[in-house]
Short mmCIF file of all heavy atoms in Angstrom, two decimals:
data_model
loop_
_atom_site.label_atom_id
_atom_site.label_comp_id
_atom_site.label_asym_id
_atom_site.label_seq_id
_atom_site.Cartn_x
_atom_site.Cartn_y
_atom_site.Cartn_z
N SER U 1 -0.78 3.71 4.19
CA SER U 1 -1.20 5.06 3.90
C SER U 1 -2.65 5.40 4.28
O SER U 1 -2.93 6.56 4.54
CB SER U 1 -0.99 5.41 2.45
OG SER U 1 0.39 5.32 2.08
N PHE U 2 -3.55 4.44 4.32
CA PHE U 2 -4.95 4.75 4.47
C PHE U 2 -5.68 4.06 5.61
O PHE U 2 -6.58 4.62 6.20
CB PHE U 2 -5.70 4.46 3.13
CG PHE U 2 -5.24 5.32 2.00
CD1 PHE U 2 -4.32 4.83 1.07
CD2 PHE U 2 -5.69 6.60 1.86
CE1 PHE U 2 -3.87 5.64 0.04
CE2 PHE U 2 -5.29 7.41 0.80
CZ PHE U 2 -4.37 6.92 -0.10
N ALA U 3 -5.30 2.83 5.88
CA ALA U 3 -6.09 2.01 6.84
C ALA U 3 -6.22 2.64 8.21
O ALA U 3 -7.23 2.50 8.90
CB ALA U 3 -5.50 0.62 6.96
N TYR U 4 -5.21 3.42 8.62
CA TYR U 4 -5.18 3.89 10.00
C TYR U 4 -5.22 5.42 10.11
O TYR U 4 -4.90 6.00 11.15
CB TYR U 4 -3.95 3.32 10.73
CG TYR U 4 -3.96 1.82 10.61
CD1 TYR U 4 -2.93 1.13 9.96
CD2 TYR U 4 -5.01 1.09 11.14
CE1 TYR U 4 -2.97 -0.24 9.83
CE2 TYR U 4 -5.06 -0.29 11.01
CZ TYR U 4 -4.07 -0.97 10.36
OH TYR U 4 -4.11 -2.31 10.20
N LEU U 5 -5.65 6.07 9.02
CA LEU U 5 -6.00 7.49 9.12
C LEU U 5 -7.17 7.62 10.07
O LEU U 5 -8.11 6.82 10.04
CB LEU U 5 -6.37 8.07 7.76
CG LEU U 5 -5.21 8.11 6.73
CD1 LEU U 5 -5.76 8.65 5.41
CD2 LEU U 5 -4.09 9.00 7.19
N GLU U 6 -7.15 8.62 10.92
CA GLU U 6 -8.21 8.79 11.93
C GLU U 6 -9.61 8.85 11.25
O GLU U 6 -10.57 8.28 11.79
CB GLU U 6 -7.94 10.06 12.74
CG GLU U 6 -9.01 10.37 13.79
CD GLU U 6 -9.11 9.28 14.85
OE1 GLU U 6 -8.10 8.58 15.08
OE2 GLU U 6 -10.24 9.11 15.40
N LYS U 7 -9.71 9.52 10.15
CA LYS U 7 -11.02 9.64 9.48
C LYS U 7 -11.53 8.33 8.99
O LYS U 7 -12.73 8.18 8.73
CB LYS U 7 -10.96 10.65 8.34
CG LYS U 7 -10.06 10.22 7.18
CD LYS U 7 -10.11 11.21 6.03
CE LYS U 7 -9.27 10.73 4.82
NZ LYS U 7 -9.36 11.66 3.70
N ASN U 8 -10.64 7.35 8.77
CA ASN U 8 -11.04 6.07 8.24
C ASN U 8 -11.35 5.02 9.27
O ASN U 8 -12.22 4.18 9.09
CB ASN U 8 -9.94 5.53 7.29
CG ASN U 8 -9.86 6.32 6.02
OD1 ASN U 8 -10.78 7.05 5.63
ND2 ASN U 8 -8.75 6.20 5.32
N CYS U 9 -10.61 5.03 10.43
CA CYS U 9 -10.75 3.95 11.37
C CYS U 9 -11.30 4.36 12.73
O CYS U 9 -11.24 3.59 13.67
CB CYS U 9 -9.39 3.26 11.54
SG CYS U 9 -8.12 4.30 12.35
N SER U 10 -11.88 5.54 12.82
CA SER U 10 -12.37 6.02 14.11
C SER U 10 -13.50 5.18 14.59
O SER U 10 -13.75 5.07 15.81
CB SER U 10 -12.83 7.52 13.99
OG SER U 10 -13.84 7.62 13.00
N GLU U 11 -14.24 4.51 13.72
CA GLU U 11 -15.35 3.70 14.14
C GLU U 11 -15.07 2.22 14.06
O GLU U 11 -15.98 1.37 14.11
CB GLU U 11 -16.60 4.04 13.31
CG GLU U 11 -17.08 5.49 13.48
CD GLU U 11 -18.30 5.82 12.63
OE1 GLU U 11 -18.79 4.90 11.96
OE2 GLU U 11 -18.73 6.97 12.68
N GLY U 12 -13.80 1.87 13.89
CA GLY U 12 -13.41 0.48 13.76
C GLY U 12 -12.61 0.27 12.49
O GLY U 12 -12.44 1.16 11.68
N PRO U 13 -12.08 -0.94 12.32
CA PRO U 13 -11.20 -1.18 11.19
C PRO U 13 -11.95 -1.11 9.86
O PRO U 13 -13.12 -1.47 9.75
CB PRO U 13 -10.64 -2.59 11.42
CG PRO U 13 -11.70 -3.24 12.28
CD PRO U 13 -12.25 -2.15 13.17
N ILE U 14 -11.23 -0.67 8.82
CA ILE U 14 -11.79 -0.69 7.47
C ILE U 14 -11.89 -2.16 7.01
O ILE U 14 -12.92 -2.58 6.52
CB ILE U 14 -10.90 0.10 6.48
CG1 ILE U 14 -10.89 1.61 6.90
CG2 ILE U 14 -11.46 -0.01 5.06
CD1 ILE U 14 -12.22 2.29 6.83
N PHE U 15 -10.80 -2.89 7.19
CA PHE U 15 -10.78 -4.34 6.89
C PHE U 15 -10.37 -5.09 8.13
O PHE U 15 -9.56 -4.63 8.95
CB PHE U 15 -9.82 -4.61 5.71
CG PHE U 15 -10.28 -3.97 4.42
CD1 PHE U 15 -9.67 -2.78 4.01
CD2 PHE U 15 -11.27 -4.51 3.67
CE1 PHE U 15 -10.10 -2.18 2.84
CE2 PHE U 15 -11.70 -3.93 2.52
CZ PHE U 15 -11.09 -2.74 2.05
N ASP U 16 -10.87 -6.31 8.28
CA ASP U 16 -10.60 -7.12 9.46
C ASP U 16 -9.38 -8.04 9.25
O ASP U 16 -8.89 -8.57 10.26
CB ASP U 16 -11.82 -7.97 9.78
CG ASP U 16 -13.07 -7.12 10.09
OD1 ASP U 16 -13.04 -6.49 11.13
OD2 ASP U 16 -13.99 -7.11 9.27
N GLY U 17 -8.93 -8.17 8.03
CA GLY U 17 -7.76 -9.03 7.79
C GLY U 17 -7.31 -8.88 6.35
O GLY U 17 -8.06 -8.37 5.50
N TYR U 18 -6.09 -9.28 6.09
CA TYR U 18 -5.46 -9.12 4.80
C TYR U 18 -4.74 -10.39 4.36
O TYR U 18 -4.10 -11.08 5.21
CB TYR U 18 -4.42 -7.98 4.83
CG TYR U 18 -4.95 -6.63 5.27
CD1 TYR U 18 -4.97 -6.27 6.59
CD2 TYR U 18 -5.47 -5.73 4.35
CE1 TYR U 18 -5.48 -5.04 7.01
CE2 TYR U 18 -5.98 -4.51 4.72
CZ TYR U 18 -5.98 -4.14 6.09
OH TYR U 18 -6.46 -2.93 6.48
N LEU U 19 -4.87 -10.72 3.08
CA LEU U 19 -4.06 -11.79 2.49
C LEU U 19 -3.50 -11.28 1.18
O LEU U 19 -4.27 -11.09 0.23
CB LEU U 19 -4.89 -13.08 2.29
CG LEU U 19 -4.03 -14.32 1.97
CD1 LEU U 19 -4.67 -15.61 2.50
CD2 LEU U 19 -3.74 -14.46 0.49
N ALA U 20 -2.19 -11.02 1.19
CA ALA U 20 -1.51 -10.51 0.01
C ALA U 20 -0.62 -11.61 -0.58
O ALA U 20 0.20 -12.20 0.15
CB ALA U 20 -0.66 -9.27 0.37
N ALA U 21 -0.77 -11.91 -1.85
CA ALA U 21 -0.07 -13.03 -2.45
C ALA U 21 0.73 -12.63 -3.67
O ALA U 21 0.31 -11.76 -4.40
CB ALA U 21 -1.05 -14.17 -2.79
N GLY U 22 1.87 -13.27 -3.87
CA GLY U 22 2.64 -13.07 -5.05
C GLY U 22 3.33 -11.70 -5.10
O GLY U 22 3.72 -11.24 -6.19
N GLY U 23 3.55 -11.08 -3.97
CA GLY U 23 4.17 -9.76 -3.94
C GLY U 23 5.13 -9.63 -2.72
O GLY U 23 5.46 -10.62 -2.08
N GLY U 24 5.52 -8.39 -2.44
CA GLY U 24 6.44 -8.19 -1.36
C GLY U 24 5.90 -7.09 -0.44
O GLY U 24 4.72 -7.02 -0.14
N ALA U 25 6.81 -6.22 0.01
CA ALA U 25 6.45 -5.15 0.95
C ALA U 25 6.49 -3.78 0.27
O ALA U 25 6.38 -2.79 0.97
CB ALA U 25 7.39 -5.17 2.13
N ARG U 26 6.61 -3.76 -1.04
CA ARG U 26 6.69 -2.47 -1.73
C ARG U 26 5.29 -1.89 -1.92
O ARG U 26 4.39 -2.58 -2.42
CB ARG U 26 7.37 -2.64 -3.05
CG ARG U 26 7.66 -1.31 -3.81
CD ARG U 26 8.34 -1.60 -5.14
NE ARG U 26 9.54 -2.33 -4.91
CZ ARG U 26 10.67 -1.88 -4.45
NH1 ARG U 26 10.77 -0.61 -4.06
NH2 ARG U 26 11.74 -2.64 -4.31
N PRO U 27 5.06 -0.61 -1.56
CA PRO U 27 3.74 -0.04 -1.77
C PRO U 27 3.54 0.40 -3.20
O PRO U 27 4.49 0.87 -3.87
CB PRO U 27 3.70 1.16 -0.82
CG PRO U 27 5.15 1.57 -0.68
CD PRO U 27 5.95 0.28 -0.79
N ALA U 28 2.32 0.31 -3.70
CA ALA U 28 1.97 0.81 -5.03
C ALA U 28 2.06 2.33 -5.03
O ALA U 28 1.93 2.99 -4.02
CB ALA U 28 0.55 0.38 -5.37
N PRO U 29 2.27 2.91 -6.22
CA PRO U 29 2.26 4.40 -6.33
C PRO U 29 0.87 4.91 -5.95
O PRO U 29 -0.15 4.25 -6.15
CB PRO U 29 2.54 4.64 -7.82
CG PRO U 29 3.18 3.40 -8.31
CD PRO U 29 2.60 2.29 -7.51
N LEU U 30 0.86 6.15 -5.44
CA LEU U 30 -0.42 6.74 -5.04
C LEU U 30 -1.20 7.32 -6.22
O LEU U 30 -2.41 7.51 -6.14
CB LEU U 30 -0.20 7.86 -4.02
CG LEU U 30 -0.09 7.34 -2.57
CD1 LEU U 30 0.40 8.49 -1.66
CD2 LEU U 30 -1.46 6.83 -2.10
N ASN U 31 -0.51 7.62 -7.32
CA ASN U 31 -1.22 8.12 -8.51
C ASN U 31 -0.50 7.66 -9.76
O ASN U 31 0.61 7.08 -9.71
CB ASN U 31 -1.37 9.63 -8.44
CG ASN U 31 -0.03 10.38 -8.45
OD1 ASN U 31 0.72 10.31 -9.45
ND2 ASN U 31 0.32 11.05 -7.34
N SER U 32 -1.07 7.97 -10.91
CA SER U 32 -0.52 7.48 -12.17
C SER U 32 0.84 8.06 -12.52
O SER U 32 1.54 7.52 -13.39
CB SER U 32 -1.51 7.79 -13.33
OG SER U 32 -2.69 7.04 -13.21
N TYR U 33 1.17 9.16 -11.93
CA TYR U 33 2.41 9.86 -12.26
C TYR U 33 3.56 9.56 -11.33
O TYR U 33 4.66 9.98 -11.59
CB TYR U 33 2.16 11.39 -12.30
CG TYR U 33 1.24 11.77 -13.45
CD1 TYR U 33 -0.12 11.59 -13.38
CD2 TYR U 33 1.76 12.35 -14.60
CE1 TYR U 33 -0.95 11.95 -14.42
CE2 TYR U 33 0.97 12.70 -15.67
CZ TYR U 33 -0.41 12.50 -15.57
OH TYR U 33 -1.24 12.86 -16.63
N GLU U 34 3.29 8.84 -10.25
CA GLU U 34 4.38 8.39 -9.37
C GLU U 34 4.90 7.08 -9.84
O GLU U 34 4.20 6.08 -9.87
CB GLU U 34 3.86 8.27 -7.93
CG GLU U 34 3.64 9.59 -7.22
CD GLU U 34 3.29 9.40 -5.75
OE1 GLU U 34 3.15 8.25 -5.30
OE2 GLU U 34 3.08 10.41 -5.08
N PRO U 35 6.18 7.02 -10.20
CA PRO U 35 6.76 5.73 -10.67
C PRO U 35 6.98 4.81 -9.50
O PRO U 35 7.12 5.24 -8.35
CB PRO U 35 8.08 6.16 -11.29
CG PRO U 35 8.48 7.38 -10.54
CD PRO U 35 7.18 8.11 -10.24
N ILE U 36 7.04 3.48 -9.78
CA ILE U 36 7.48 2.55 -8.79
C ILE U 36 8.98 2.64 -8.70
O ILE U 36 9.73 2.49 -9.71
CB ILE U 36 7.06 1.13 -9.22
CG1 ILE U 36 5.58 0.98 -9.20
CG2 ILE U 36 7.70 0.09 -8.25
CD1 ILE U 36 5.07 -0.36 -9.71
N ILE U 37 9.48 2.98 -7.55
CA ILE U 37 10.91 3.14 -7.36
C ILE U 37 11.52 1.76 -7.12
O ILE U 37 11.28 1.13 -6.09
CB ILE U 37 11.24 4.08 -6.20
CG1 ILE U 37 10.53 5.40 -6.37
CG2 ILE U 37 12.76 4.26 -6.07
CD1 ILE U 37 10.91 6.15 -7.64
N LEU U 38 12.32 1.30 -8.06
CA LEU U 38 12.90 -0.05 -7.94
C LEU U 38 14.31 0.03 -7.32
O LEU U 38 15.10 0.87 -7.71
CB LEU U 38 13.00 -0.71 -9.32
CG LEU U 38 11.68 -1.08 -9.96
CD1 LEU U 38 11.94 -1.69 -11.31
CD2 LEU U 38 10.89 -2.05 -9.10
N SER U 39 14.56 -0.82 -6.38
CA SER U 39 15.90 -0.97 -5.83
C SER U 39 16.13 -2.46 -5.75
O SER U 39 15.21 -3.25 -5.68
CB SER U 39 16.04 -0.31 -4.49
OG SER U 39 15.17 -0.92 -3.54
N GLY U 40 17.42 -2.85 -5.72
CA GLY U 40 17.69 -4.28 -5.70
C GLY U 40 17.46 -4.92 -7.05
O GLY U 40 17.45 -4.25 -8.10
N LYS U 41 17.11 -6.17 -7.07
CA LYS U 41 17.10 -6.90 -8.31
C LYS U 41 15.71 -7.11 -8.92
O LYS U 41 15.59 -7.62 -10.00
CB LYS U 41 17.75 -8.26 -8.14
CG LYS U 41 16.97 -9.27 -7.30
CD LYS U 41 17.65 -10.60 -7.26
CE LYS U 41 16.75 -11.66 -6.67
NZ LYS U 41 17.39 -12.97 -6.68
N SER U 42 14.68 -6.75 -8.23
CA SER U 42 13.38 -7.16 -8.69
C SER U 42 12.26 -6.26 -8.23
O SER U 42 12.34 -5.56 -7.18
CB SER U 42 13.07 -8.59 -8.14
OG SER U 42 11.74 -8.94 -8.29
N TYR U 43 11.14 -6.27 -8.96
CA TYR U 43 9.91 -5.57 -8.58
C TYR U 43 9.41 -6.10 -7.24
O TYR U 43 8.76 -5.41 -6.50
CB TYR U 43 8.87 -5.84 -9.67
CG TYR U 43 7.49 -5.35 -9.33
CD1 TYR U 43 7.24 -3.97 -9.19
CD2 TYR U 43 6.46 -6.24 -9.18
CE1 TYR U 43 5.97 -3.52 -8.85
CE2 TYR U 43 5.17 -5.79 -8.87
CZ TYR U 43 4.95 -4.42 -8.72
OH TYR U 43 3.70 -3.97 -8.45
N PHE U 44 9.75 -7.33 -6.88
CA PHE U 44 9.27 -7.96 -5.67
C PHE U 44 10.14 -7.60 -4.48
O PHE U 44 9.82 -7.95 -3.33
CB PHE U 44 9.18 -9.46 -5.82
CG PHE U 44 8.31 -9.91 -6.90
CD1 PHE U 44 8.82 -10.52 -8.04
CD2 PHE U 44 6.92 -9.70 -6.85
CE1 PHE U 44 7.99 -10.93 -9.04
CE2 PHE U 44 6.11 -10.11 -7.87
CZ PHE U 44 6.65 -10.71 -8.99
N ASP U 45 11.33 -7.00 -4.71
CA ASP U 45 12.25 -6.73 -3.59
C ASP U 45 11.58 -5.94 -2.50
O ASP U 45 10.87 -4.94 -2.77
CB ASP U 45 13.44 -5.95 -4.14
CG ASP U 45 14.49 -5.65 -3.08
OD1 ASP U 45 14.50 -6.36 -2.10
OD2 ASP U 45 15.26 -4.73 -3.25
N SER U 46 11.75 -6.35 -1.26
CA SER U 46 11.07 -5.67 -0.14
C SER U 46 12.01 -4.85 0.71
O SER U 46 11.61 -4.33 1.73
CB SER U 46 10.40 -6.75 0.73
OG SER U 46 11.42 -7.57 1.33
#
């Protein structure tokens, strides 16, 4: 949602690399009122 917005990366990458551990491919909610939409069997389901 944010790393590749033109206003953020026009002068180069925000971050040069990522290491995400203990999770999957599900994105976090954007605000406190957006629930995590679960499908499949687990919070980690991708």
Side-chain angles (χ1 to χ4, degrees):
S1 298
F2 296 97
Y4 305 117
L5 294 177
E6 179 62 26
K7 66 176 183 177
N8 290 341
C9 66
S10 59
E11 298 180 2
I14 298 295
F15 296 100
D16 298 291
Y18 302 90
L19 193 149
R26 186 179 306 284
L30 275 170
N31 62 66
S32 292
Y33 291 78
E34 285 187 356
I36 294 175
I37 306 300
L38 292 179
S39 62
K41 71 177 191 176
S42 167
Y43 173 65
F44 302 111
D45 182 23
S46 65

